[in-house]
Amino acid sequence: MKHEPLTVGHLIARACKEAEVERFGSPVFLPALRKLVESINEVLDQLHERGRIGIEDTIIRLLVNRLRMQRDLEQHPEILAEVLQPPAAIIGLPRTGTTKLQRLVAAGRGFQELLMWQGFNPAPFSTPELDGRDSRIDAAAKFVRWVENDAPDSHKGHTMIVEGVEEEHHLLDQTFQSPSMVSFAP
């Protein structure tokens, strides 16, 4: 199937419109985004329509997250002055138990865990709550349902629990340099 190539300009324009924000702050992510878009365009015609839309929507979500984070930093510069505890890193090859180990360590409550929905959309939405519940939880749940239905093997290999501890790969995706980027297309 022939698809229109993705363009960085179009993706950024869509993200700015959705986020109602126009400033990204540092452009450090742009070279990686350009390379990702270039790579996706090379295989775009191998994708079915849902795959192409999924890739575009994922990139838009990541850009919107960056915009919202920049908005929050501009509105609350004190965020940058917060003192953080040193991180603990669990590093290993895929399928070696690192996810289980991370969840086990987080269960001890000696560390601040990252919940799946927090990493998926780290900055609050413009309308953060729906009936007293953070609307980012429902957005993450929709994604997890999609993975369960459309990529069941992926879900079996790495079960995501919306309100459970998750690895930081969703945060790394915001850089457009994450290893999970290779799962988008051939």
Side-chain angles (χ1 to χ4, degrees), residues 83-124:
V83 177
L84 302 176
Q85 297 299 316
I90 298 170
I91 301 170
L93 295 172
R95 317 291 347 128
T96 60
T98 53
T99 302
K100 287 183 180 180
L101 178 58
Q102 180 173 11
R103 291 176 179 168
L104 180 65
V105 168
R109 300 292 175 200
F111 298 93
Q112 179 171 344
E113 71 275 1
L114 176 69
L115 302 180
M116 184 274 173
W117 67 269
Q118 293 169 323
F120 191 71
N121 285 304

